[in-house]
Structures are given as C-alpha cells and as structure tokens.
Amino acid sequence: MNALNVAKFGGTSVADYTAMSNCAAVIKGNLSTRLVVISACSGVTNLLVELANGVANDRQQEVLTKLHDIHFSILKQLPEAPAVASGVNAILDEVATLSAAAETSPSDKITDALVACGELMSTHIFTHLLNDKGINAVRADVRDVLKTDNVFGKATPDLIETAHHAETVLTPLFEDKVVVTQGFIGSDAQGNTTTLGRGGSDYSAALLAEAIKATSLEIWTDVPGIYSTDPRVAPAASPIDEISFSEASEMANFGAKILHPATLIPAMRQDIPVFVGSSKAPEQGGTWIRHQAEKSPLFRALALRCNQTMVTLTSLNMFHAYGFLAEVFNILAKHKVSVDLITTSEVSVSLTLDQTNTKGGAPKLPEAAEQELAALCKVTVEQDMCLVALIGNHMSESKGAAAKIFSALEDYNLRMICYGASNHNLCFLTSTSESKEVVRALHKELFED
C-alpha cells in the first residue's frame, strides 16, 4: 500500500499568513500528505460562538468587522484571487444572516451553522496560499463527506456513509492533488450543517484518516508534541517521544488540550500511528502515538481539566438498599446527562458531569433532572473545580505508588478520588484556585529528578 498521510492543523497554526506559510512548508516536507484538515483561524470560533448566543445588532457589526479583518489581512498578502475573496464574503454574508436569527431565537442548529463558518472561510484562504506556494491544492467541502446524525452541537458520525463518500469525493483527487478540507463539521441526512463538539477538528481528521485508509495521521499544533504535563503550568515538563494509544487516550480524556478526547478512537480502530508536532518548529520533532510504546513507565504524565461540576446525592435510603443507584442513573439517562467520574459511599454518591458540546462553559445539571433527583435524595451541586489526572501504567498493581502520590499532596484538599478502576490513571478533584499548585507539586515529586 502506498503511504497516505493526513495532516491536521489547528487554529494557531493557521492564525495568519506567517503561520499558514509554516504549514505549507510542513506539507511540502512530506510527499505522502494528500489530505489536509484545518481549523478556523485562531480566535474566530470564539467570535462565532458569541454571535450564536444572540447579541445585539451593534455588537454583531463589531464582530463581523473583526471576522472580515482577520481573513482579509491574510488575503492581502497573497496574489489577488476574486473567486476566493467572493467565497469568503459569501460566508460572511451567511454569518450576518445567521447572527440576526440567533439574536431573536438562538438554537443548537443555528449555532452549528454559525460556528462552521470559521473552517469554511479558512479553507478558502489556505487552499489559495498552498497553490501560491507551488502545491497543487484543491478545496473540498467536508459536509459532502463526513455524514452524521442530527444531534446539533455534538453529532455522531455515520462511519459507513462517511467511508462511502470519502471514496467517491476525496480518493479520486489524491492522484495529483493535495485536498484541503474542514475539521469539526459535517452534515446530517437532510444536508444541515452539524458539528462534532468543541475541539472536534482532531476527531474529524482521524475519522477521515480512517475513511480513506490512511497510513499515518499528523496533528500539527503550537507545541512540539506531548509533554509530561502542560509546560505553562510546570515549566520543568519534559517531552515524550513515544506513547501508547491507551495512555494518550487517557491524557486526552482528562484534559490534555493537545488532543481531542475522541481523536484516537478511529486511529486505534485502524491501527493508524498518530504524530503530534509543532507547525512553528517541525524540526523539534514531536510525539508518536502507537498501539504499543516500547517503554511503559509507572508514571507517564499529568493532565488538568478545569470547569468541572460535581454533583453529590445523599440519602439514608441508600444504606444497604437495592436499586437506589439504578434509579439515579435512570433519571440521568432520561435527561441525557452524561456522567464522567463516580464514587460512592454507604449513604451518598458523587459524580462529575461531562461537557463536550460546542457551546462550552461549565456543565450543568438540567433543572428537570435536579427536581426529579431532589424527590429521591438531597442534591448538592458544586462548580469551580478542576480534575487532576495522573496517567501511567499498572499503578494500582504497584506497591508504594499510592503512598508516593498522596504524600506529595498532603498540604492540599483533595475531593472525589478515583483509583483502581483503570490501570492507566488516578484522578481527583481539587479547587480551581489550588489546581495548578497541585499539578506542580505532583510533577516535582514524580517527574523531576
């Protein structure tokens, strides 16, 4: 099989003309790259989400001007291309129309149509830039390929339909062209624009890699690979050359911002190795994520995920009772509440809520769900918390591992500790104000000689 690489570039990698030029150099450096998936230009999605939430007309005009300036400041540095300028302007017109609709009646459907416009604009410009740099590039609308259900804000891909459309729409172009398409978005059976949830560009790149049977997937971002923790939190963090799919999945799931949590699932299904590197400094190398890494250390990395909501349900009826938890989860399932972590005692259960949709913000317990739960037990909801996750291998089977971890944290208040359910992680909640100190203390003890 011929090598077939998918390269994905994030928002900071396509922020401006210089950043996009760096990406072009990366693409030129790997002749097997045939599909390029890019995000919206840096900052654009946040502006579009603001419009989707419904803002007054004067603010709409401000944001529209900002969006125009971000994109045309790049186009001004390229040869004149009336068709490209026209394409971007048509999308800006659509943004204006959708913003007016969101002001009076915001909805998840309008939100998806609006936030998708960032990728639709950036791909027009990036394709033009690649052609100007001597790369034979063509733009494809990913909505013709990536098919999903109609759950706006967090759509589920239809793998069979996506594979079929990838073969008919994309594959014929790979012979002599580099295809540029959008991350994060898709379309349902009726042709409505959908999104895969915030951060879904990585996921869509992996889904497309799976659909076209790629031999590798590159995720290009603004940091040179995966580190033992976020270097902005702990400056002594060290790069990781190679990591297993299972370890990287845990890291992504528990907040390592370098990867979207679902990214690795399609890659794991097809055993496609994933490379993570910096488009600003590709010469620094990066991290390969493979089915199995050569080394499996006890402690691999620390991840931090903030904006957490903890719900504690307390009832004396739980004591030696049957069916209480089943009733709780029936209520949560009925109201489509996704639970992330859970711990229980004889009379209470604590859980955190998952937040993965497009709108962002702290996850909330729907009012109707809270009312039903309140009829069953006492409900306490706490926000402004962060989840700290320690990723490693066979931690629950290693004598003394827990003692080493918790002795480093004796000065901090830890909540809802989850340990033993997975061989790859130990995690706990702490207050947002202490969270970075906790990561630094733990990193110093476990990763710094």
Side-chain angles (χ1 to χ4, degrees):
M1 178 182 178
N2 292 331
L4 178 55
N5 181 58
V6 176
K8 181 263 172 180
F9 296 93
T12 54
S13 294
V14 293
D16 52 32
Y17 176 82
T18 303
M20 284 190 176
S21 298
N22 290 337
C23 298
V26 168
I27 293 165
K28 272 189 171 180
N30 186 348
L31 295 177
S32 65
T33 299
R34 278 289 169 263
L35 181 62
V36 175
V37 180
I38 72 169
S39 298
C41 298
S42 185
V44 166
T45 302
N46 287 339
L47 292 170
L48 293 168
V49 168
E50 184 184 347
L51 292 175
N53 289 335
V55 293
N57 185 260
D58 54 347
R59 177 57 184 159
Q60 284 178 39
Q61 296 309 311
E62 274 181 52
V63 173
L64 284 166
T65 301
K66 276 188 186 178
L67 291 170
H68 178 278
D69 292 349
I70 287 168
H71 295 95
F72 278 86
S73 66
I74 305 172
L75 278 176
K76 280 176 188 172
Q77 297 178 72
L78 287 161
E80 211 170 301
V84 176
S86 174
V88 174
N89 276 321
I91 297 165
L92 286 169
D93 289 343
E94 189 179 348
V95 171
T97 303
L98 291 165
S99 302
E103 184 184 356
T104 54
S105 52
S107 68
D108 289 341
K109 184 177 178 180
I110 289 175
T111 295
D112 275 8
L114 254 174
V115 297
C117 291
E119 278 75 6
L120 294 171
M121 288 188 283
S122 64
T123 44
H124 271 298
I125 297 167
F126 190 62
T127 306
H128 177 35
L129 181 139
L130 289 185
N131 281 302
D132 182 54
K133 301 281 185 188
I135 298 168
N136 188 11
V138 63
R139 178 182 182 271
D141 191 327
V142 79
R143 293 173 296 183
D144 297 332
V145 178
L146 212 164
K147 298 299 176 179
T148 73
D149 63 13
N150 63 355
V151 179
F152 299 106
K154 192 177 183 299
T156 299
D158 182 325
L159 301 181
I160 293 170
E161 281 294 303
T162 298
H164 168 70
H165 286 90
E167 192 174 344
T168 56
V169 176
L170 298 178
T171 303
L173 300 170
F174 295 152
E175 185 67 37
D176 60 347
K177 291 182 177 69
V178 171
V179 181
V180 178
T181 196
Q182 305 80 26
F184 175 58
I185 61 180
S187 69
D188 66 11
Q190 284 70 47
N192 297 308
T193 300
T194 58
T195 68
L196 302 178
R198 200 69 190 264
S201 292
D202 293 346
Y203 185 29
S204 42
L207 287 165
L208 293 169
E210 178 182 41
I212 65 170
K213 300 179 175 63
T215 53
S216 59
L217 168 63
E218 296 172 349
I219 306 284
W220 293 97
T221 178
D222 55 359
V223 291
I226 299 173
Y227 279 65
S228 53
T229 196
D230 187 338
R232 292 167 296 189
V233 176
S238 53
I240 300 168
D241 293 332
E242 187 185 47
I243 190 171
S244 69
F245 275 133
S246 52
E247 291 171 310
S249 294
E250 296 275 6
M251 285 187 72
N253 189 50
F254 288 112
K257 292 184 174 62
I258 200 161
L259 288 172
H260 182 270
T263 297
L264 299 172
I265 296 170
M268 279 193 279
R269 281 195 295 251
Q270 297 300 320
D271 202 11
I272 301 169
V274 180
F275 178 80
V276 181
S278 168
S279 59
K280 295 176 182 175
E283 72 283 352
Q284 290 185 25
T287 304
W288 276 103
I289 305 167
R290 305 184 193 278
H291 184 70
Q292 200 68 47
E294 279 189 26
K295 297 176 184 174
S296 300
L298 180 61
F299 303 125
R300 175 71 87 179
L302 282 162
L304 179 65
R305 187 171 76 197
C306 289
N307 223 9
Q308 298 297 287
T309 299
M310 182 170 80
V311 178
T312 303
L313 310 172
T314 308
S315 172
L316 292 176
N317 295 335
M318 265 188 80
F319 192 72
H320 289 172
Y322 297 101
F324 178 83
L325 279 178
E327 203 166 342
V328 165
F329 280 97
N330 278 337
I331 293 169
L332 294 173
K334 184 168 103 178
H335 295 282
K336 293 184 168 55
V337 177
S338 177
V339 172
D340 192 19
L341 301 177
I342 180 168
T343 60
T344 63
S345 73
E346 284 290 6
V347 295
S348 68
V349 54
S350 291
L351 48 90
T352 59
L353 305 182
D354 208 2
Q355 173 78 45
T356 52
N357 72 12
T358 300
K359 289 185 177 179
K364 293 178 181 175
L365 189 63
E367 195 175 328
E370 190 168 344
Q371 286 174 358
E372 278 196 58
L373 289 168
L376 189 67
C377 56
K378 181 187 173 188
V379 181
T380 307
V381 179
E382 297 175 69
Q383 293 188 321
D384 198 26
M385 305 186 84
C386 290
L387 179 73
V388 178
L390 174 61
I391 314 300
N393 295 279
H394 308 293
M395 290 187 291
S396 60
E397 301 167 11
S398 301
K399 291 179 182 177
K404 190 171 186 183
I405 295 161
F406 291 114
S407 64
L409 301 173
E410 59 187 6
D411 294 333
Y412 303 99
N413 183 27
L414 310 182
R415 305 285 302 279
M416 197 177 159
I417 299 166
C418 296
Y419 186 39
S422 163
N423 264 330
H424 288 292
N425 78 67
L426 178 157
C427 51
F428 53 85
L429 288 176
T430 185
S431 67
T432 300
S433 59
E434 283 191 332
S435 60
K436 290 182 179 178
E437 284 181 50
V438 166
V439 169
R440 282 190 284 269
L442 207 46
H443 192 274
K444 186 173 183 180
E445 176 65 29
L446 304 180
F447 295 94
E448 299 169 33
D449 295 326

